[in-house]
Amino acid sequence: MTTPALLVIDVQNAIDDPVWGRRGQPEMEGNIATLLEAWRARRLPVVHIRHDSTDLASPYRPGTPGNEFKADVAPQPGEPVVDKRTNSAFIGTDLMDVLDELQVHRLVLTGVLLENSVEATARMAGNLGFEVVIPEDAVASVDRTDRRGRHWPAEDVHALTLAILEKEYAQISDTRSLIEALP
């Protein structure tokens, strides 16, 4: 098994802003904290991705409280932080340089939103040749309304996005299984 890097994507205070609507998967932050504890105990690589929105109305805009990492999953000294301005953590960032320096080829993606930044990052990582794993209980989705006006609960958005990503772009797992498989 190759050394897996844990990526924590966009888990910032902004995700609690009402602008996103109802979020599912309330256990996400706790599961990410559990994964972080396991990775740190084994001295495995952890990379934090921070979304710095260029939209002046965004709760993710730099200089606002929403731009800060959530306290229970915040970076520790020495853990790389990659700042991004688009949905994919690879576009316009130094993520590839960070991963090359860490010499990792297996990525465990956690964070928000599954159907946005996590999915975009997973697709690009897969296309770049990385082995991608997504723990289904350490990512979260929000309610969505489609173009026809149909409401999709966050739980359905979550399940469908995982089904779309599974096998072609990522292996789907869970927090407990990932920790049990760690070296």
Side-chain angles (χ1 to χ4, degrees):
M1 175 170 140
T2 62
T3 300
L6 180 67
L7 273 63
V8 182
I9 302 172
D10 301 352
V11 186
Q12 297 158 249
N13 292 328
I15 196 57
D16 293 333
D17 192 285
V19 70
W20 304 111
R22 189 186 74 83
R23 189 188 99 187
Q25 303 75 43
E27 72 285 357
M28 179 198 72
E29 289 91 342
N31 287 327
I32 294 173
T34 299
L35 288 166
L36 281 168
E37 182 180 331
W39 253 252
R40 289 168 176 158
R42 291 164 178 83
R43 299 184 190 277
L44 295 171
V46 174
V47 180
H48 298 266
I49 310 298
R50 176 176 40 220
H51 187 68
D52 289 338
S53 179
T54 57
D55 179 350
L56 295 178
S58 173
Y60 277 101
R61 188 170 44 85
T64 66
N67 189 256
E68 299 298 319
F69 288 106
K70 293 190 111 187
D72 49 350
V73 297
Q76 289 188 351
E79 293 176 347
V81 174
V82 173
D83 297 318
K84 69 179 183 67
R85 289 174 178 70
T86 65
N87 53 12
S88 173
F90 287 97
I91 301 295
T93 72
D94 65 346
L95 180 57
M96 277 300 295
D97 293 336
V98 170
L99 297 175
D100 285 345
E101 185 176 317
L102 294 170
Q103 298 181 351
V104 295
H105 303 285
R106 185 170 198 243
L107 307 177
V108 176
L109 305 184
T110 66
V112 293
L113 289 168
L114 171 61
E115 67 276 16
N116 190 328
S117 293
V118 176
E119 180 177 11
T121 301
R123 286 173 179 266
M124 182 153 281
N127 287 332
L128 291 169
F130 288 94
E131 180 185 344
V132 178
V133 181
I134 299 174
E136 64 186 339
D137 56 354
V139 289
S141 300
V142 293
D143 290 355
R144 300 283 183 166
T145 301
D146 69 23
R147 293 171 46 109
R148 295 175 290 180
R150 180 176 175 186
H151 176 78
W152 295 87
E155 293 76 14
D156 291 345
V157 173
H158 192 259
L160 181 58
T161 304
L162 290 170
I164 291 167
L165 290 171
E166 190 169 26
K167 294 189 179 99
E168 186 168 356
Y169 294 100
Q171 172 191 349
I172 308 303
S173 189
D174 60 70
T175 295
R176 193 178 112 231
S177 298
L178 282 171
I179 292 172
E180 288 173 356
L182 287 175

